[in-house]
Amino acid sequence: MDKQDRQAGVPCEGAKIESTGLLAQMAHGADRAQVATILDLDPEDILDFSANINPYGFTPAMQEALKTASGHIQQYPDPHARPLLEALAQRRQLEAWQIVPGSGGADLIFRLAGVFARLFGSKERQASRKAQVLLTAPTFSEYAQAFSQAGFVLQSYPLAPDWDFQVGPGILDSLDETIQVCILCQPNNPTGLTIDPSLLTQIRQACRNRGIYLVMDECFLDFLDPADQPVYSLKTGLSEQEIIIKSLTKLFAIPGLRLGWLELGSSNLADQVRAATPPWQVSGPAQAVGLAALATPEEDIQAWRQQLAGERQRLSRALTQAGAKVYPSQANFLFFAWDYPTLQLDLLTQSKPPILIRNCANYRGLGPGFWRVAVKSPAENDTLIAALKSLGGGQTISTTLLQQGQDIGHSEARQARQTARKTQTPAHPEPAKAIMVLGTASSVGKSALATGLCRLLTQEGYRVRPFKSQNMSREYYSLPKGGRLATAQALMAEACRTDLQPEMNPVLLVPRSDTGSDVYVLGQYWQSLAAKDYYQVRNQLWPTVQAAYQKLAAEADIIVVEGAGSPAEINLRQDDFVNLGLADRLDLPCILVGDIDRGGVFASLYGTLALCQDQGGDHIKALVINKFRGDPAILKPGLVDFKELTGLPILGTLPYLPDLQLDAEDSLSDQEGHYSRTQREASYDRLADNLRQHLDWAALMEIVNGHKL
């Protein structure tokens, strides 16, 4: 049977069941030869999405180093890889004794298991601690394989699907006197999720207090932004009982060369690992290519990260539209649930070329219906997206580059205010003024309008700070000192050209099920609550919210406050400090935004005003109509009538702005991200320019300054 015949047929139902079972049993998804044998395919034809390899990582310099090293293949390399060791120590800013090279992460995991087996081999230690190793489930399977073969008893901390497979505070209870070693993967494989920095700090402290060795596999951590990596890593303050596993395999795309290393805080343990390492463990070609990889400029690596982040978001949207539930990965792969039993087989037999994805059914703690795909080059991702569209009926995902806005120069008013600020220091500075943006519903454009105001007011020379008392978002930015800030407020802070502060979003709800969320207060994990329980206790958080606002008010001229959802949600008014309840507590002037693109904008504005009439509605000073398409002259009669009907001025009708290059706050948003800072800056200026042209600026500033129109 030739190649064309092999790919022409689709298996019958019985063959599909048998093939699906065989594929699911494979220990590694990247075994193309075994896949080809099962399905009678040519392995060279298979497009492999099961191996999480950076498509940009194998640089020309590395290719040249491999070519040169191949000419010395008959010579012994340095037995201890000393030049590579020195380069690693310099790159990682560690002492050379802290690093032990090896032939890939798997080699180091098995070697470490053997060292720990000898360390805990005495009868006394076995009796007192029962030689247990704590693993999350699911996670990389080689941890369990290596430590079970070394004689350890494995204990699992299950990651619950209802909580999106996040490591939660319950792991602290599992770190008891029976545990000798805890192994974590950051970001975790196969989920791509990171552990919250505040919880990681608690885990580290618990391990130190109880004499537990903490091993962190950070092979995928390099795909995070460098500013975020320190809060997720053990490297900062590495203790004697902490070990990091690193590898060049994923970032630099060299799985065939096998190159990794351990970072240890204990010189004694490092010596024991070195003693268990045979000479020439790292081959000559691997040493040469590793040195070339470590010389790669950081700006090149950062460009890879940005490209992969954008492609990851694009794949996430395609999978979601096709019918999958996608988990918010921070690595170069996506983990998703899809009740499609033959998905892997169908992609291999019905796509051209055949596409191989990872079936995660054999991960500890998982089962059928969980899958993982790598993030590859745009062209390769296009192939997968087209296949997903064919299988799941999803919509076409656009790859068109988005239009960037234009830079706006300094206004005379801005220059004057900046000059005055440099020459005057008031003895008693005035408290900040404020403007609050409310919406008739979610996604009517509150965040975009607030972000545009942040940039426009900043351009006008004001010191501006964003504030949202409570936000619900799966996506977040990492704060400089650890913790989480909702994406919308992080973007607004950028638009204000100011640093991220936890006070900008004092309460963040991260959904973990249809009825529950993790609650973060000032960026730090507080507790996990069902919705009904949160609303019973949320008023306890008001003093924190009030103090956060006051802190920002002390350093700003104007605070741009964003509401959440709609102020007309009468079931949520008790103890409200998010919408008009906040406006009432802090005496904030508000503008109400309606989305004309959805239809019924006048009804939604009027209905919101009517429902809020006796519940703080007097704080609403003006209206804005957003996302208008078409001829404004057609809308004008309705605006005149509506102003007479409500007695409130309409500050402007804002045109619809497609293709804003801003990070989406939720994976189901209409926007795509992750975008570069340059792209986001252009979008902030574009939003500001839109407001400058279409908003009654003088009327808005009268509201800000306390004059009722």
Side-chain angles (χ1 to χ4, degrees), residues 273-286:
V273 178
R274 267 189 286 271
T277 303
W280 306 295
Q281 185 69 11
V282 182
S283 71

Side-chain angles (χ1 to χ4, degrees), residues 14 17 102 196 210 301 329 331 374 413 519 610 628:
I17 294 172
D196 182 77
R210 296 162 193 171
I301 299 175
S329 170
V519 184
F628 180 73

Side-chain angles (χ1 to χ4, degrees), residues 162-233:
D162 288 347
W163 295 88
D164 283 1
F165 296 97
Q166 287 277 8
V167 176
I171 195 173
L172 298 173
D173 296 330
S174 299
L175 293 169
D176 58 25
E177 67 281 355
T178 68
I179 301 300
Q180 291 176 311
V181 182
C182 174
I183 304 177
L184 299 173
C185 189
Q186 183 87 312
N188 191 30
N189 179 4
T191 64
L193 302 172
T194 51
I195 302 170
D196 182 77
S198 60
L199 178 58
L200 180 59
T201 298
Q202 296 177 63
I203 292 171
R204 297 179 74 175
Q205 190 60 53
C207 288
R208 291 172 185 175
N209 292 343
R210 296 162 193 171
I212 299 171
Y213 281 91
L214 178 58
V215 180
M216 181 86 86
D217 185 340
E218 299 184 5
C219 290
F220 288 104
L221 196 63
D222 291 319
F223 290 99
L224 274 69
D225 191 278
D228 295 335
Q229 291 179 27
V231 298
Y232 294 108
S233 173

Side-chain angles (χ1 to χ4, degrees), residues 201-348:
T201 298
Q202 296 177 63
I203 292 171
R204 297 179 74 175
Q205 190 60 53
C207 288
R208 291 172 185 175
N209 292 343
R210 296 162 193 171
I212 299 171
Y213 281 91
L214 178 58
V215 180
M216 181 86 86
D217 185 340
E218 299 184 5
C219 290
F220 288 104
L221 196 63
D222 291 319
F223 290 99
L224 274 69
D225 191 278
D228 295 335
Q229 291 179 27
V231 298
Y232 294 108
S233 173
L234 298 186
K235 184 171 174 287
T236 303
L238 188 66
S239 75
E240 290 193 351
Q241 290 188 268
E242 294 177 338
I243 303 101
I244 298 172
I245 302 171
K246 295 288 290 184
S247 170
L248 297 183
T249 298
K250 308 301 184 182
L251 185 64
F252 290 100
I254 51 172
L257 282 175
R258 313 305 305 149
L259 182 56
W261 69 95
L262 296 178
E263 296 176 358
L264 303 100
S266 165
S267 59
N268 179 52
L269 187 60
D271 288 342
Q272 293 185 57
V273 178
R274 267 189 286 271
T277 303
W280 306 295
Q281 185 69 11
V282 182
S283 71
Q287 292 186 40
V289 173
L291 286 169
L294 293 173
T296 304
E298 180 59 34
E299 55 265 29
D300 291 351
I301 299 175
Q302 182 63 8
W304 299 344
R305 294 186 185 106
Q306 292 175 351
Q307 288 172 300
L308 290 169
E311 288 299 301
R312 182 180 64 213
Q313 182 71 7
R314 195 162 69 91
L315 277 181
S316 176
R317 289 168 57 83
L319 286 162
T320 300
Q321 290 171 339
K325 172 181 170 56
V326 184
Y327 295 89
S329 170
Q330 290 188 270
N332 64 323
F333 55 84
L334 286 169
F335 175 67
F336 60 97
W338 196 357
D339 188 14
Y340 188 152
T342 61
L343 175 62
Q344 185 184 39
L345 180 63
D346 288 353
L347 285 171
L348 283 164

